[in-house]
Amino acid sequence: MANLNTEEIKKLKKGELGGLIVAVFDGIACVALIVFFSIAIARSDEYLRLYTCSICIPLMSTCSIIIAICNNKYNKPLDRIIKNYVQEVLIENAALMHPERDNIAYYISNEGNEFFVKTNNFKEVIIFDFSAFGKLSLARKATITAAIINRLGATFCRLMERGGKYKTVSYCAIKDGNQSKTINIIENGTPDKKIYKNYLKQQ
């Protein structure tokens, strides 16, 4: 059964938080550079200009390096965990995706730490439980939604390569009861060019 390693995620999230804090300092240094450099130019103060550059630019460079390290060490592993978990859940619930149909619409919704995928008008729902991540930020929710969409796209591109015949496969997100624009994964038996290109990149 697909599950998430809570302890591993907690450790990675701590590192991710450190990267976010550094990013804040990087932003402050950038703003300080702009403000004080502008003042130095307005006052023709060469010492202030040099002093500002000598402090802010090295600080920004250091922050950028730390942010890049944190991204590779913490953010990317968290993204991989999400992608792998989404893939495992969809594999386990392959029957609920109803790939035997040639016209399929998927409805993606979210409530708290859970994401849901509903197929056509069937009552059964595929559930993704992200409780191990704690409270989900808007950015994390967007990452999860993208992972679900990418996996749906990859799944049907692979099925078509294996001889599957589909007229239309689509998805849309539902938020607060409102349905977003429907996006086609497959239309008139042909995969969307962008989705198929992404699928090829994953191979």
Side-chain angles (χ1 to χ4, degrees), residues 86-94 97 126 128 151-152:
V86 166
Q87 181 175 353
E88 289 172 9
V89 171
L90 288 178
I91 290 173
E92 288 181 0
N93 294 276
M97 295 174 68
I126 301 173
F128 304 83
R151 182 43 51 185
L152 288 174

Side-chain angles (χ1 to χ4, degrees), residues 12 15 67-78 80:
L12 290 172
I67 291 168
I69 292 171
C70 288
N71 184 53
N72 286 322
K73 192 173 181 179
Y74 305 110
N75 296 61
K76 287 185 178 180
L78 284 169
R80 281 196 296 271

Side-chain angles (χ1 to χ4, degrees), residues 152-166:
L152 288 174
T155 297
F156 282 94
C157 285
R158 183 177 292 110
L159 287 172
M160 287 196 72
E161 284 187 346
R162 295 178 179 178
K165 303 294 182 182
Y166 298 97

Side-chain angles (χ1 to χ4, degrees), residues 4 6 8 15 26 34 46-47 59 100 123 130 139 149 203:
L4 294 168
T6 303
E8 179 186 9
D26 187 34
I34 294 170
E46 188 67 24
Y47 290 106
L59 179 59
E100 75 283 357
K123 292 182 180 179
F130 287 94
I149 291 169
Q203 301 312 298

Side-chain angles (χ1 to χ4, degrees), residues 12-201:
L12 290 172
K13 284 189 68 179
K14 285 182 180 179
E16 181 186 49
L17 178 60
L20 291 174
I21 292 172
V22 173
V24 171
F25 280 106
D26 187 34
I28 293 172
C30 182
V31 172
L33 175 64
I34 294 170
V35 172
F36 287 105
F37 196 81
S38 298
I39 293 173
I41 292 175
R43 295 181 177 180
S44 299
D45 191 332
E46 188 67 24
Y47 290 106
L48 179 59
R49 184 166 62 178
L50 290 173
Y51 189 69
T52 299
C53 291
S54 64
I55 294 178
C56 293
I57 292 177
L59 179 59
M60 289 169 62
S61 298
T62 302
C63 287
S64 296
I65 293 170
I66 295 173
I67 291 168
I69 292 171
C70 288
N71 184 53
N72 286 322
K73 192 173 181 179
Y74 305 110
N75 296 61
K76 287 185 178 180
L78 284 169
D79 288 345
R80 281 196 296 271
I81 287 171
I82 290 171
K83 290 177 183 178
N84 291 338
Y85 175 68
V86 166
Q87 181 175 353
E88 289 172 9
V89 171
L90 288 178
I91 290 173
E92 288 181 0
N93 294 276
L96 299 184
M97 295 174 68
H98 293 281
E100 75 283 357
R101 302 259 171 169
D102 61 2
N103 281 293
I104 313 172
Y106 293 106
Y107 302 92
I108 304 168
S109 58
N110 159 243
E111 185 176 333
N113 288 83
E114 292 184 329
F115 281 72
F116 310 94
V117 173
K118 187 174 183 294
T119 309
N120 290 358
N121 293 318
F122 292 101
K123 292 182 180 179
E124 299 88 355
V125 177
I126 301 173
I127 302 173
F128 304 83
D129 186 356
F130 287 94
S131 298
F133 279 83
K135 187 176 180 180
L136 299 175
S137 65
L138 290 176
R140 186 77 72 203
K141 288 182 179 181
T143 298
I144 293 170
T145 301
I148 293 172
I149 291 169
N150 288 338
R151 182 43 51 185
L152 288 174
T155 297
F156 282 94
C157 285
R158 183 177 292 110
L159 287 172
M160 287 196 72
E161 284 187 346
R162 295 178 179 178
K165 303 294 182 182
Y166 298 97
K167 292 179 182 177
T168 303
V169 178
S170 63
Y171 69 85
C172 69
I174 298 176
K175 184 177 181 181
D176 299 326
N178 297 316
Q179 184 174 312
S180 69
K181 180 182 177 181
T182 298
I183 305 296
N184 289 321
I185 295 172
I186 296 171
E187 185 176 11
N188 297 323
T190 304
D192 175 80
K193 290 182 180 179
K194 184 177 180 181
I195 289 174
Y196 187 65
K197 186 177 181 180
N198 288 337
Y199 163 67
L200 293 177
K201 286 181 179 179

